[in-house]
Amino acid sequence: MALLEIQNLTIDIPTSGGLLHAVRGVSLSLERGKTLAIVGESGSGKSLSSLALMDLLPRRAVRRADALRFNGVDLMCATERQKQDLRGNRMAMIFQEPMTSLNPAFTIGDQLCEVLLRHRKVSRTEARDRAVMLLEKAGITSAGTRLGQYPHQLSGGLRQRVMISMALMCEPDLIIADEPTTALDVTIQAQILRVLRDLQSEFGMAMILITHDLGVVARIADDVGVMYAGRLVETGPAAKVFTTPGHPYTRGLMDCIPTPGRTKPGERLGAIPGQVPNLVEELRGCAFRERCGQSRSACGESFPDLWLADDHRVACLSGQSAENAA
Amino acid sequence: MTAQSPSMQAVLPSRRARFDKFRRRAATNPSFMAGLVVLVVIAGLALMAPLLGLHDPYAQDLSRRLIPPIWHAKGTWEHVLGTDKLGRDYLSRLIWGGRISLLLGISTVIISGVIGTGLGVAAGFFGGRVDAVVSYVVTTRLALPVVLVALAGAALVGGSLSMVILVLGLLLWDRFAVVARTATMQVARADYVAAAQAIGCSTSRIVFSEILPNILNPLIVVATLEMAHAILLEAALSFLGLGVQPPLPSWGLMISEGKQYMFFSPWVITVPGVALVILVLAINLLGDGLRDVTAPERRN
Amino acid sequence: MLAFGIRRLTISLCVALTVSIVAFFLLHMSGDIAQAIAGTDATPEQVSQIRVQFGLDRPLVEQYLNWAWGVLRFDFGTSFYFRDQVTTLIAQRLPVTLALGGISLLLALIISVPLGVLAAVKQGGWIDRAALMFCVLGQALPTFWLGLSLIIVFSVTLRWLPVSGSGTWAHFVLPSVALGWYAIPAVMRLTRNGMLDVLASDYIRTARAKGLRMPTVLFKHALRNAMIPVVALAAVQFGFMLGGSIVVEAVFSMEGLGQLAWQSIARQDFPVVQAIVLVLAVLYIGLTLLADILNAILDPRIRIA
């Protein structure tokens, strides 16, 4: 049985301009120990989807799903208490903003130990020992003294290492990392990713990595999901999605990254013309068709769901021809 | 503020368009409209007091002392809100007293507004040593206990209405200075002020045509709050017998004069007290509404 | 931190000095004090005798320096009216005012902080609306009129509490309500807005992501941060209350500093007035210093930087 099973997740947010359909029917599943990367541009609904799993959406947002199962527990029917028992314990989250995600009024040690003390019957010393061990694994030197420090005394990179350690305190089954490196310097980004990947494989956790950086995906992910305008337009194993992208939007994204050696100096990088559609309106058919070079009249009517292979799914009619050709 | 682009004209819509937008937002702000309506009614009554055919507010009639208001069994239509201990008509005194409160509130705010804005703009615009001196003066002023100093001041210079206005005006400028200083600092950093300096505009020109118009909104909000503050303080001073002197119908004085009769005729303090609450409430509502209306529109 | 502390202390001392100068010169330049002491029907000889007796014939600067030197040794001079040491008078009256201010502040905090938290947690709900209306209304009530109304209702009609005086705890109930009322709107608004900001912050989301129970999130993670500015405000409000107690003490005839000040102003008893102005100012300055210290203790970002 899959660790995580999502069927037809939707998220609506009431705004002054009308009801914003931020996520419009996302379905996916994740096996134990695997890494799923969700890519897409800002506003595609990838962060909201991950917050929806933790039930940490903004208060006004409305979450619906046909099924939302984690570890056999139906999250849609779970009580707030049951969800609290899961959060930080079986599923943990790392946020985009390490600078503001730690409470300025408490020490690092206090905030780390708090997780373990909340979910396990352990003594303060045991919690402290685990915190030190995890901080060291996350690459923080003299971890013992760091425990007594306050967040503002740490750099952004260090704080993100603390956040990672905090997520690992209870050795969860699933880690959700929402753009964990976006706010950091490029040199730090690589270190943080390495730490994240190493710890994930060491503890055998599943991970959902939200990112807009395809380079990150290629290095870490087992599977990839591409989101556009609140929908998953392509899912599949990272290798297949990268070598034989099925959706025009995925191909567009990949054309945007320069590849050393292959991209010649002075060559124009690809860019996707047009804009993301207004998510307040009801969308019929493919949301990408306005920007797509291969759109035809049928694209305006249906939102297809095609299997290119038994593990590679594409929501595009042009996939049909690829399927036929294959 | 940092997002302001170099030219004012390019960013800000015309004065007319801004006013239209203000009107639209104000009309839908319940707090602003409620305050405005009540205030207009009070101000209208106060302004037209001589034309309303009221009793003379100073005319005494010892045979008609302490007549209760109309909602009491013994009330008469002759004196709708009753009479005071000297037989003076309470409604008439109340309306004439409204003139005193409004006059005092507005005059005090003009004096304190000029002092505070001047200090605040100077501190925010010149910064450095000027700022340090102004901050020191504000700190010192805040350390002075307002009620006590106002009482002592009013007692020293004698409790005429104009002296009370002067004393309060000289005391209540601190919030103007603090707000003007912060707002000026934000505006002075904007590019269009730098541009004006670069093309060699004189300091006074920059202050009057670039800075003051752009810090006016928060200052008007402060003005409403300080007006309410001044009206309450005057009432307190007059109540303590050291503010406006009899026989002027100041509401604070009416409460003070009624104090000894309040056990048997509680309305002698209820009527002017409620009037005071309604006036101050209306001014505060107007100020709160104004702050919401003039605040930059929040996203989403 | 140390440099900042020293600078802060120096400024405070300078402000206290300036206040003493302002208080002294304002009162001494305003008229003939000797005439005021002697009364209107005194002969010119009596007036000049008094002038010499109280040292009022000396240059103002010399009088100020004499007075200031005395103040440094807690000698505020002699009251014209009581013919007694001002220091003694103040020492007798100060406890009542401090007690009144302290109880009022406590009362205000007990009401406004929980109400502010509740209003923020249930933002837009009926508690929030009611609390905000209460704030607007609270700010419009004149303290002295509220005091008189409380007397009419609770002392005269219901006969639950004494009308005036400061002898027993019961005498402090109504005055504390009247004085504390004044601080409630400001503290409640700050608590509410602080909680709203904090509740929308990333670290509260982190706390929830840890699976912490709602009380822990609210009272440990949120309240601690939202309270930092409130503590500072409370200290400053206490200073304002000591100054504002003059009205309340007058209404309830309490034997405190405020009433002494009021009566002394009416009697033109300047040594007492200027002493009380200075004492209240110094208390206020001390409280703002205390607010800064409390801020530094509560906010680790200030403490260590």
Side-chain angles (χ1 to χ4, degrees):
Chain A
M1 189 184 63
L3 174 69
L4 180 71
E5 187 78 49
I6 304 175
Q7 266 169 38
N8 201 21
L9 171 73
T10 64
I11 299 170
D12 294 335
I13 302 174
T15 65
S16 51
L19 198 62
L20 181 80
H21 306 286
V23 174
R24 313 170 170 233
V26 162
S27 304
L28 55 83
S29 70
L30 180 63
E31 301 294 327
R32 278 177 192 282
K34 294 282 189 185
T35 298
L36 167 70
I38 297 183
V39 290
E41 54 202 296
S42 321
S44 61
K46 52 193 198 309
S47 286
L48 281 175
S49 304
S50 64
L51 285 172
L53 296 183
M54 302 281 290
D55 199 16
L56 291 177
L57 287 169
R59 210 188 297 186
R60 292 168 302 142
V62 182
R63 175 183 80 163
R64 283 191 205 88
D66 293 344
L68 198 58
R69 263 189 300 275
F70 173 74
N71 247 347
V73 181
D74 184 351
L75 292 179
M76 292 308 287
C77 301
T79 63
E80 184 56 32
R81 241 185 144 70
Q82 286 173 310
K83 283 183 281 193
Q84 284 171 355
D85 287 339
L86 284 177
R87 288 202 286 257
N89 184 12
R90 301 324 318 146
M91 56 203 308
M93 191 150 181
I94 299 161
F95 297 100
Q96 185 176 353
E97 289 293 338
M99 300 311 280
T100 51
S101 290
L102 289 164
N103 193 325
F106 297 99
T107 61
I108 301 300
D110 189 39
Q111 299 188 56
L112 279 168
C113 296
E114 190 179 41
V115 194
L116 202 61
L117 293 170
R118 157 73 179 86
H119 294 290
R120 301 273 190 283
K121 286 196 165 59
V122 294
S123 68
R124 285 215 149 261
T125 356
E126 286 170 288
R128 206 191 124 86
D129 290 346
R130 179 155 176 91
V132 171
M133 187 270 281
L134 283 171
L135 285 181
E136 276 166 358
K137 278 193 188 298
I140 291 182
T141 49
S142 60
T145 56
R146 293 287 183 200
L147 288 185
Q149 290 187 316
Y150 287 91
H152 68 95
Q153 295 169 285
L154 272 53
S155 68
L158 281 179
R159 287 192 214 187
Q160 199 59 302
R161 289 174 203 265
V162 171
M163 289 299 291
I164 293 173
S165 310
M166 194 183 284
L168 294 175
M169 281 301 279
C170 290
E171 219 171 299
D173 300 315
L174 172 66
I175 276 207
I176 301 169
D178 183 4
E179 307 210 24
T181 58
T182 308
L184 302 174
D185 287 345
V186 183
T187 46
I188 312 286
Q189 285 185 0
Q191 296 171 9
I192 295 288
L193 277 176
R194 197 173 311 126
V195 166
L196 208 51
R197 189 188 56 195
D198 292 351
L199 288 174
Q200 184 231 352
S201 53
E202 181 176 343
F203 289 104
M205 301 169 298
M207 175 156 76
I208 294 179
L209 180 71
I210 314 286
T211 182
H212 57 250
D213 184 346
L214 286 175
V216 171
V217 178
R219 265 183 288 167
I220 293 192
D222 299 308
D223 294 301
V224 180
V226 181
M227 276 193 85
Y228 183 76
R231 280 172 175 158
L232 267 178
V233 293
E234 180 160 4
T235 50
K240 283 189 186 170
V241 173
F242 270 87
T243 49
T244 54
H247 198 281
Y249 178 65
T250 316
R251 284 198 290 274
L253 278 184
M254 303 229 267
D255 287 341
C256 297
I257 355 172
T259 322
R262 263 201 302 189
T263 313
K264 294 183 196 77
E267 185 186 336
R268 264 182 73 100
L269 289 176
I272 306 175
Q275 285 176 333
V276 183
N278 181 0
L279 291 178
V280 172
E281 290 154 22
E282 283 298 335
L283 291 184
R284 265 179 61 82
C286 177
F288 189 62
R289 66 176 187 277
E290 306 278 320
R291 301 168 74 183
C292 179
Q294 294 147 286
S295 68
R296 36 189 137 146
S297 58
C299 293
E301 281 146 35
S302 63
F303 181 68
D305 195 359
L306 296 176
W307 295 91
L308 290 185
D310 53 359
D311 52 1
H312 191 181
R313 200 168 63 167
V314 169
C316 180
L317 289 172
S318 70
Q320 245 162 358
S321 45
E323 204 173 21
N324 296 341
Chain B
M1 274 300 171
T2 48
Q4 293 278 16
S5 91
S7 140
M8 277 291 286
Q9 282 75 21
V11 194
L12 296 176
S14 72
R15 193 164 292 216
R16 179 67 196 268
R18 265 193 290 172
F19 181 71
D20 283 346
K21 194 172 148 200
F22 168 79
R23 223 174 38 183
R24 234 176 311 117
R25 289 179 73 177
T28 56
N29 186 302
S31 157
F32 179 86
M33 289 313 286
L36 188 69
V37 168
V38 176
L39 210 55
V40 165
V41 170
I42 295 177
L45 282 175
L47 280 175
M48 294 189 300
L51 311 172
L52 293 175
L54 297 163
H55 292 266
D56 179 352
Y58 302 107
Q60 304 182 4
D61 183 352
L62 294 180
S63 64
R64 317 188 58 122
R65 301 168 64 225
L66 292 169
I67 296 176
I70 193 69
W71 56 85
H72 272 254
K74 289 182 195 160
T76 76
W77 282 105
E78 171 79 16
H79 300 285
V80 177
L81 292 180
T83 58
D84 70 0
K85 60 175 181 180
L86 297 173
R88 295 174 294 197
D89 181 58
Y90 230 44
L91 175 67
S92 152
R93 285 184 73 73
L94 198 71
I95 290 177
W96 283 87
R99 285 167 82 98
I100 295 181
S101 285
L102 286 173
L103 177 70
L104 171 123
I106 293 168
S107 322
T108 304
V109 161
I110 290 173
I111 298 174
S112 56
V114 169
I115 299 174
T117 308
L119 286 172
V121 169
F125 187 73
F126 296 109
R129 212 164 279 181
V130 179
D131 186 24
V133 170
V134 170
S135 297
Y136 182 78
V137 174
V138 172
T139 314
T140 311
R141 155 58 200 87
L142 283 173
L144 289 170
V146 179
V147 186
L148 183 50
V149 174
L151 267 180
L156 288 173
V157 293
S160 70
L161 180 58
S162 47
M163 281 304 153
V164 174
I165 290 173
L166 189 67
V167 168
L168 292 183
L170 290 175
L171 273 174
L172 298 183
W173 47 263
D174 51 293
R175 224 180 308 188
F176 281 105
V178 172
V179 170
R181 173 179 174 270
T182 320
T184 305
M185 280 179 160
Q186 285 172 349
V187 175
R189 247 186 282 129
D191 293 334
Y192 56 84
V193 173
Q197 271 169 323
I199 60 173
C201 290
S202 70
T203 303
S204 67
R205 204 194 132 93
I206 292 174
V207 166
F208 282 102
S209 65
E210 305 288 345
I211 291 183
L212 277 181
N214 284 297
I215 65 170
L216 209 56
N217 283 344
L219 287 180
I220 291 174
V221 173
V222 172
T224 60
L225 298 178
E226 285 305 322
M227 185 171 160
H229 192 184
I231 290 172
L232 284 176
L233 262 178
E234 180 274 325
L237 295 191
S238 301
F239 172 76
L240 292 174
L242 294 164
V244 175
Q245 295 299 311
L248 280 182
S250 149
W251 292 348
L253 204 54
M254 286 168 78
I255 296 174
S256 169
E257 287 169 345
K259 207 176 96 177
Q260 57 189 119
Y261 304 97
M262 73 178 191
F263 299 125
F264 303 107
S265 318
W267 45 268
V268 290
I269 69 158
T270 316
V271 167
V274 168
L276 202 49
V277 172
I278 291 175
L279 175 60
V280 172
L281 193 64
I283 297 173
N284 279 340
L285 282 176
L286 188 78
D288 281 356
L290 214 54
R291 173 167 43 206
D292 295 341
V293 171
T294 57
E297 253 171 303
R298 263 173 278 163
R299 279 185 295 169
N300 290 336
Chain C
M1 184 66 197
L2 188 68
F4 174 78
I6 290 170
R7 200 181 123 80
R8 187 74 183 67
L9 201 66
T10 317
I11 291 180
S12 298
L13 289 175
C14 288
V15 170
L17 186 73
T18 316
V19 168
S20 78
I21 294 172
V22 169
F24 183 89
F25 283 90
L26 267 185
L27 291 169
H28 278 77
M29 290 189 305
S30 57
D32 192 345
I33 296 172
Q35 182 74 53
I37 304 166
T40 40
D41 48 352
T43 61
E45 288 75 38
Q46 284 172 316
V47 173
S48 54
Q49 193 195 337
I50 284 174
R51 189 167 287 137
V52 175
Q53 185 191 336
F54 286 98
L56 295 170
D57 52 340
R58 306 296 177 119
L60 264 184
V61 176
E62 191 187 322
Q63 287 186 49
Y64 171 74
L65 289 177
N66 276 335
W67 178 68
W69 177 239
V71 167
L72 287 179
R73 293 171 289 131
F74 292 102
D75 174 11
F76 288 94
T78 312
S79 157
F80 298 158
Y81 178 83
F82 293 98
R83 312 276 158 163
D84 199 353
Q85 283 293 306
V86 175
T87 313
T88 321
L89 289 170
I90 290 181
Q92 283 167 354
R93 308 294 191 99
L94 190 60
V96 171
T97 301
L98 285 180
L100 175 61
I103 299 171
S104 305
L105 182 69
L106 211 63
L107 201 68
L109 289 177
I110 288 173
I111 294 171
S112 54
V113 170
L115 212 55
V117 172
L118 218 59
V121 172
K122 305 269 177 204
Q123 189 197 1
W126 68 268
I127 293 182
D128 190 22
R129 283 156 201 260
L132 286 178
M133 296 241 293
F134 177 74
C135 272
V136 178
L137 194 67
Q139 276 175 327
L141 280 183
T143 313
F144 64 94
W145 185 71
L146 176 65
L148 291 176
S149 305
L150 288 174
I151 291 177
I152 291 184
V153 175
F154 292 99
S155 306
V156 179
T157 310
L158 298 172
R159 294 180 184 280
W160 285 353
L161 292 158
V163 173
S164 63
S166 46
T168 66
W169 67 268
H171 288 102
F172 280 87
V173 177
L174 293 183
S176 305
V177 172
L179 191 55
W181 185 277
Y182 162 82
I184 290 177
V187 177
M188 209 206 83
R189 279 194 183 170
L190 193 64
T191 308
R192 175 181 177 271
N193 295 344
M195 274 304 269
L196 281 181
D197 284 349
V198 169
L199 286 178
S201 70
D202 287 347
Y203 58 82
I204 291 302
R205 192 175 58 182
T206 308
R208 292 182 58 208
K210 288 173 176 178
L212 299 177
R213 300 272 188 232
M214 232 25 217
T216 317
V217 174
L218 283 182
F219 294 106
K220 181 182 172 188
H221 285 270
L223 196 59
R224 169 74 188 264
N225 285 288
M227 276 299 104
I228 292 171
V230 176
V231 169
L233 178 74
V236 175
Q237 285 286 339
F238 187 55
F240 287 145
M241 280 181 170
L242 294 180
S245 71
I246 190 166
V247 176
V248 175
E249 286 176 21
V251 169
F252 291 92
S253 312
M254 300 183 83
E255 298 277 304
L257 214 54
Q259 203 192 28
L260 179 65
W262 176 42
Q263 291 167 342
S264 301
I265 289 171
R267 292 174 192 136
Q268 302 198 291
D269 194 350
F270 296 123
V272 179
V273 178
Q274 68 195 19
I276 294 178
V277 170
L278 188 59
V279 167
L280 288 180
V282 168
L283 279 172
Y284 176 85
I285 293 166
L287 284 166
T288 53
L289 260 179
L290 180 73
D292 281 1
I293 294 169
L294 287 173
N295 247 345
I297 291 173
L298 286 175
D299 191 344
R301 280 166 296 188
I302 301 178
R303 195 193 315 161
I304 290 151

